[in-house]
Amino acid sequence: MAEPGTSFGQRLGPALLDSLLAAIIAFALFSLLLGLRMVDKVTGLTLQPRPVLLAVAVGIVFCGRLLLNLFVWHAEYPLTAPFAKLFTRAPFERRDLIVLGATLLVATLMFLFSLVIIDSAAFELVAASVFIFLGIGLVRRIIVQFFPDLPYGRIFTVGGIAFAVLFPICAYLLEKTFRLGLPLRYLLDLSILVLTYVMLGWGLNVVVGLAGLLDLGYVAFYAVGAYTFALLATHFGLGFWICLPIAGAAAALWGIILGFPVLRLRGDYLAIVTLAFGEIVRIVLLNWTEVTNGPNGVSGIPKPTFFGLPFAPSGDGTFSSFFGLKYDPLQGIIFLYYVILALAFITNLVTLKLRRLPIGRAWEALREDQIACRSLGINTTITKLTAFAIGAMFGGLAGSFFATRQGFISPESFTFIESAIILAIVVLGGMGSQLGVAIAAIVMVGGFEALRHTEGLQSIFGEGFDPALYRMLLFGIAMVGIMVWRPRGIIGSRSPSIVLDEARPIGGGLVREGRA
Amino acid sequence: MAYFLQQLINGIALGSIYGLIAIGYTMVYGIIGMINFAHGDIFMVGAFIALILFLALLSLGVTMIPLALLIVLLLAMVLTAVWGWTVERIAYRPLRESFRLAPLITAIGMSIVLQNFIQVAQGARVKPLQPVVTGGYTLFTEGDFAVNLSNIQILIVVTTLVLMTVFWLIITRTALGRSQRACEQDRLMAALSGVNVDRTISLTFVLGAALAAVAGLLYLLYYGVIDFYIGFVAGIKAFTAAVFGGIGSLPGAMLGGLIIGLIETFWSAYFTIEYKDVAAFSMLAIVLIFFPTGLLGRPEVEKV
């Protein structure tokens, strides 16, 4: 492979060869699986060739690899450098500005071209993404340039909390006064979904991020919480607020029961056993029809009340009649939003407090070095078990909320893929970082959910394109990509839980999870 | 008695398939100490490649079954091996010096990618294949119950035995096997003595994927239907088999595969079929808790 500093002509030969090899491998990978599609016919399966698709896939691999080879990997001046610089404090050189300007120009031209001539949503989508990316980078650079020493982490956190608290009320009032036609219902549902995953992420973060125990069966506790509430509510008519602590306690109990035998296992063995437990819980829920109603699930789960006032369209003693408001189904949804927001905050506060207590410090010490912990007299079993139980409790609380929001639950909702999504949120957010987990939940869940409704993609891939199908594929690619690109997650460093003299962020290199 | 014997035969055939997959887990774990979570999905990809090759050969007019089987076997092994190589290259090699759980997380990501890629590219419906290898022998009858040994079961066991022998010879007799065992013991020292560690690890993945392809083909012939989800459960059971036999040990993987196959078959035959996966998963937990080194494994010393 060519060394940096060689001329473009010298690099072209090896780059072409390398890209050709990549293209051949891509052809071997995709020739059968992508180039031929099995179609159901009356006579059985028949094959339908798709040469164009295959050619496009191989072409993308070839061109992408060639461009990367020439301009990024072995180039003296990688073209990606100026974009990376937007997110650091390094000073710009002239060629950085030229590259950024050129990108902006191309995006603007694309946008105008689409606006005036062909009216293609795809072009606009690409241009808009470039604008947003460059815009965020530039705004960040300008702020850092003028106010270099502000506590950005704190501002970001406070701003985020303020936004989360004020968003539904403000949006609701604006909508009611000005009739803006916001898709309020959709936005609230999406936010509730994202917040549920934020809470689950924070709950799992206690286990994975703080105690360093890789739990692949977290969804089991989510399921225990959901089913505890659903069964208590449908069989005994108990309300959400009574069942919430019961569900949390039940999940914590299950955490202890499942955790006790397995916690002396090594990191990756523990991961597989928790996965097995998660699957066992799901299979039992699926087959124990007398209690759980099997695959048909439990329906008719009640909604939470506002201090005993239900959200109902008519009748005495409802929320709207008590406060003399006009009934609106959105009120119930906004209330649900605040419930999950409060639950998520509680999770976060408890975690932050626990991190300062001896038990929290023991968790982090355990993650760093288990043998050292044992030598210092920390009871590793009890320490691991508390982490497991507390994480499970938050999972149970979130599950109980999930049940009340959906009104219907079935084992379908608690598959391994849910565990993988929650784990991905924790890991990609940066293990142990609360802010990172929240950002990752917003990006991974909110972003992919928004993908469902993007029209631009339809115009690229044709009318029949259903982004939902590609959601999990992209999710997996993002999981691998971010992990390879930034093994420490989006927020790689975090402030230490306790400090001696001054607070210094902990570099990613110091944190070594699961070494024991 | 006849019923028992029939279940024994079924269990051995199923266990052979698990054993073939388990070898991939055990070799990779032995050499780089990671659980290749995507291996079950490599098996699934292998089954899909085999099915497409079958259909392609049929439409090309190759009707001689043994010839078609041989072509499918070899091509599927090669193409699946390319998948195994690519997965290692993309998702594991960049993280080799990273913390221990990092490659496990990319492996889960890769598993999601493979499953959904197949779902997108080939559709979510189950894919049936008409029986290719038919016929068999009736060993004996007891009352109304006949104990059958089908040709496909013979094929499965024979193929597994042959491949096991070949692999055993590769690991114990060739230069590749030597460097593999060297990397297993001490990667740095092996590198200092001139072993190309990267290439050895790549080849381990290639060999594991090739065996998974064989398992995929046999699974396809045995059950006649596949879908994009078969890799997950089969993968976990094969991993259980690998741990049971003692992770890192080749004969152990085969033995573990047979035991898991037998447990699953007998559980379905004598207890409830709904809970057969629960039996296998509980087995995994019990084995890991009480015999973490497995039947034929070496105990691992925890060092500071």
Side-chain angles (χ1 to χ4, degrees):
Chain A
M1 207 47 71
E3 292 300 314
T6 48
S7 78
F8 188 79
Q10 277 169 314
R11 281 189 284 122
L12 189 61
L16 271 175
L17 192 68
D18 179 72
S19 314
L20 199 64
L21 271 175
I24 292 171
I25 289 169
F27 181 78
L29 292 180
F30 297 135
S31 55
L32 292 176
L33 294 174
L34 214 55
L36 296 168
R37 186 183 169 99
M38 293 183 271
V39 189
D40 286 311
K41 287 272 173 62
V42 192
T43 49
L45 287 175
T46 47
L47 291 173
Q48 176 193 17
R50 293 187 292 189
V52 179
L53 188 64
L54 178 63
V56 168
V58 174
I60 287 175
V61 170
F62 179 75
C63 296
R65 183 104 186 165
L66 188 63
L67 290 177
L68 282 173
N69 266 327
L70 285 180
F71 296 111
V72 182
W73 284 337
H74 301 289
E76 182 196 358
Y77 171 69
L79 274 188
T80 45
F83 300 101
K85 265 189 190 173
L86 275 176
F87 293 91
T88 60
R89 296 190 181 198
F92 282 122
E93 293 170 41
R94 201 160 141 217
R95 53 187 181 181
D96 297 335
L97 294 177
I98 294 175
V99 171
L100 289 178
T103 319
L104 208 59
L105 190 68
V106 170
T108 321
L109 283 179
M110 262 173 93
F111 190 67
L112 289 178
F113 180 68
S114 154
L115 214 61
V116 180
I117 306 175
I118 53 169
D119 191 32
S120 143
F123 274 51
E124 286 164 26
L125 189 73
V126 172
S129 334
V130 173
F131 286 145
I132 291 172
F133 180 75
L134 285 181
I136 291 175
L138 282 176
V139 168
R140 191 197 156 276
R141 268 315 280 253
I142 290 166
I143 294 174
V144 169
Q145 198 75 43
F146 287 109
F147 311 99
D149 293 323
L150 287 181
Y152 288 103
R154 184 164 298 167
I155 292 177
F156 209 71
T157 316
V158 172
I161 293 172
F163 177 78
V165 172
L166 294 177
F167 154 71
I169 287 289
C170 290
Y172 184 71
L173 291 179
L174 278 175
E175 174 71 27
K176 286 296 148 199
T177 1
F178 299 111
R179 308 243 161 247
L180 295 170
L182 291 170
L184 206 52
R185 167 98 207 219
Y186 171 68
L187 283 179
L188 282 171
D189 275 340
L190 185 59
S191 325
I192 290 174
L193 186 73
V194 170
L195 281 173
T196 314
Y197 278 97
V198 170
M199 176 170 178
L200 285 168
W202 278 341
L204 185 60
N205 201 8
V206 174
V207 185
V208 179
L210 292 185
L213 307 165
L214 190 59
D215 182 356
L216 289 180
Y218 193 60
V219 80
F221 308 123
Y222 191 43
V224 167
Y227 267 90
T228 308
F229 169 51
L231 295 176
L232 285 177
T234 47
H235 286 296
F236 303 105
L238 295 178
F240 175 72
W241 294 109
I242 296 174
C243 293
L244 189 67
I246 301 177
L253 186 68
W254 272 97
I256 292 171
I257 293 172
L258 294 187
F260 194 70
V262 302
L263 281 174
R264 50 202 195 107
L265 295 174
R266 269 209 325 266
D268 36 8
Y269 277 10
L270 176 79
I272 293 291
V273 174
T274 49
L275 187 157
F277 278 149
E279 283 297 294
I280 289 175
V281 168
R282 189 180 64 83
I283 296 171
V284 169
L285 289 177
L286 198 62
N287 289 308
W288 197 11
T289 353
E290 304 84 54
V291 175
T292 63
N293 202 15
N296 298 328
V298 184
S299 54
I301 304 166
K303 294 268 180 255
T305 57
F306 182 81
F307 296 102
L309 302 173
F311 292 87
S314 58
D316 277 341
T318 64
F319 178 78
S320 39
S321 70
F322 186 82
F323 288 99
L325 297 167
K326 200 163 148 290
Y327 173 73
D328 186 337
L330 278 177
Q331 289 160 355
I333 298 175
I334 292 177
F335 180 61
L336 277 177
Y337 175 92
Y338 281 113
V339 170
I340 185 65
L341 188 66
L343 284 173
F345 276 150
I346 290 170
T347 312
N348 188 22
L349 287 180
V350 170
T351 313
L352 289 180
K353 283 280 170 239
L354 281 174
R355 254 169 63 171
R356 290 193 176 74
L357 292 177
I359 185 71
R361 295 186 208 166
W363 288 341
E364 293 196 76
L366 197 66
R367 178 191 63 200
E368 307 299 331
D369 197 326
Q370 194 169 336
I371 296 174
C373 272
R374 222 178 289 151
S375 320
L376 288 171
I378 294 174
N379 185 338
T380 50
T381 314
I382 299 286
T383 312
K384 283 179 179 178
L385 214 52
T386 44
F388 221 63
I390 287 171
M393 183 189 76
F394 289 131
L397 296 180
S400 172
F401 174 80
F402 175 77
T404 191
R405 181 180 90 102
Q406 300 288 72
F408 165 77
I409 49 168
S410 74
E412 281 290 292
S413 313
F414 307 106
T415 51
F416 166 68
I417 209 76
E418 288 295 317
S419 288
I421 290 176
I422 304 166
L423 181 71
I425 285 170
V426 174
V427 172
L428 301 181
M431 284 188 235
S433 158
Q434 301 290 92
L435 183 61
V437 170
I439 294 174
I442 293 167
V443 172
M444 299 299 272
V445 180
F448 284 111
E449 205 58 34
L451 202 69
R452 243 175 240 224
H453 302 273
T454 315
E455 283 167 12
L457 293 171
Q458 254 100 352
S459 75
I460 300 178
F461 297 105
E463 277 306 308
F465 178 80
D466 176 15
L469 252 182
Y470 295 81
R471 190 172 149 249
M472 282 317 292
L473 183 63
L474 287 175
F475 199 94
I477 293 174
M479 208 164 151
V480 176
I482 297 181
M483 203 65 205
V484 171
W485 176 54
R486 296 194 72 158
R488 294 286 150 196
I490 299 169
I491 304 223
S493 64
R494 63 189 167 79
S495 41
S497 304
I498 44 168
V499 289
L500 190 57
D501 290 325
E502 53 169 335
R504 270 175 309 213
I506 297 177
L510 285 175
V511 186
R512 276 204 158 170
E513 291 85 346
R515 203 172 51 166
Chain B
M1 183 61 203
Y3 188 62
F4 177 84
L5 206 63
Q6 181 68 64
Q7 298 311 325
L8 192 69
I9 294 171
N10 295 347
I12 287 174
L14 183 63
S16 304
I17 295 179
Y18 288 153
L20 282 176
I21 310 173
I23 290 174
Y25 280 107
T26 220
M27 285 200 305
V28 166
Y29 196 95
I31 198 161
I32 51 175
M34 72 165 277
I35 298 171
N36 181 11
F37 199 83
H39 189 63
D41 297 287
I42 292 283
F43 152 77
M44 180 271 297
V45 167
F48 267 85
I49 289 178
L51 177 56
I52 294 177
L53 281 170
F54 252 120
L55 295 174
L57 284 180
L58 284 180
S59 63
L60 287 176
V62 182
T63 45
M64 218 174 91
I65 294 298
L67 179 67
L69 271 179
L70 195 68
I71 296 177
V72 169
L73 180 75
L74 292 178
L75 268 178
M77 278 173 91
V78 171
L79 291 176
T80 315
V82 178
W83 275 97
W85 182 85
T86 312
V87 166
E88 195 268 338
R89 191 71 187 75
I90 291 176
Y92 307 149
R93 191 180 294 184
L95 291 169
R96 201 166 293 155
E97 302 308 322
S98 192
F99 60 109
R100 184 166 180 162
L101 297 181
L104 183 60
I105 287 155
T106 46
I108 296 170
M110 227 43 215
S111 155
I112 298 176
V113 168
L114 288 177
Q115 270 179 33
N116 287 279
F117 169 70
I118 295 293
Q119 190 188 1
V120 167
Q122 298 292 343
R125 311 249 311 256
V126 295
K127 307 279 177 244
L129 175 73
Q130 76 276 28
V132 180
V133 184
T134 49
Y137 307 95
T138 304
L139 294 184
F140 63 91
T141 47
E142 190 181 272
D144 292 339
F145 195 84
V147 179
N148 288 313
L149 178 64
S150 61
N151 282 338
I152 176 72
Q153 286 170 331
I154 297 172
L155 180 74
I156 287 174
V157 174
V158 169
T159 315
T160 307
L161 279 179
V162 169
L163 281 171
M164 271 304 294
T165 320
V166 171
F167 266 73
W168 181 243
L169 290 178
I170 288 180
I171 299 293
T172 50
R173 297 288 152 82
T174 65
L176 166 66
R178 247 191 329 275
S179 42
Q180 212 173 13
R181 280 177 289 142
C183 291
E184 206 177 311
Q185 289 185 353
D186 192 332
R187 220 187 301 159
L188 182 65
M189 197 59 218
L192 290 176
S193 344
V195 174
N196 188 338
V197 175
D198 275 346
R199 211 186 57 154
T200 312
I201 293 175
S202 279
L203 275 171
T204 308
F205 275 85
V206 164
L207 292 178
L211 281 184
V214 179
L217 169 66
L218 295 177
Y219 183 97
L220 173 70
L221 295 175
Y222 195 36
Y223 287 103
V225 284
I226 53 171
D227 62 43
F228 69 96
Y229 200 63
I230 56 169
F232 177 67
V233 174
I236 299 208
K237 286 178 190 162
F239 177 75
T240 313
V243 177
F244 203 167
I247 200 135
S249 147
L250 228 59
M254 208 57 237
L255 186 67
L258 283 179
I259 294 175
I260 293 294
L262 287 172
I263 288 176
E264 189 183 325
T265 316
F266 280 110
W267 186 281
S268 317
Y270 289 99
F271 301 108
T272 51
I273 195 157
E274 290 88 12
Y275 287 103
K276 72 179 161 93
D277 289 351
V278 172
F281 292 146
S282 315
M283 199 64 219
L284 171 67
I286 291 166
V287 167
L288 277 178
I289 293 163
F290 294 108
F291 320 95
T293 52
L295 295 172
L296 303 180
R298 284 186 304 269
E300 194 171 317
V301 183
E302 211 176 337
K303 277 176 274 189
V304 179

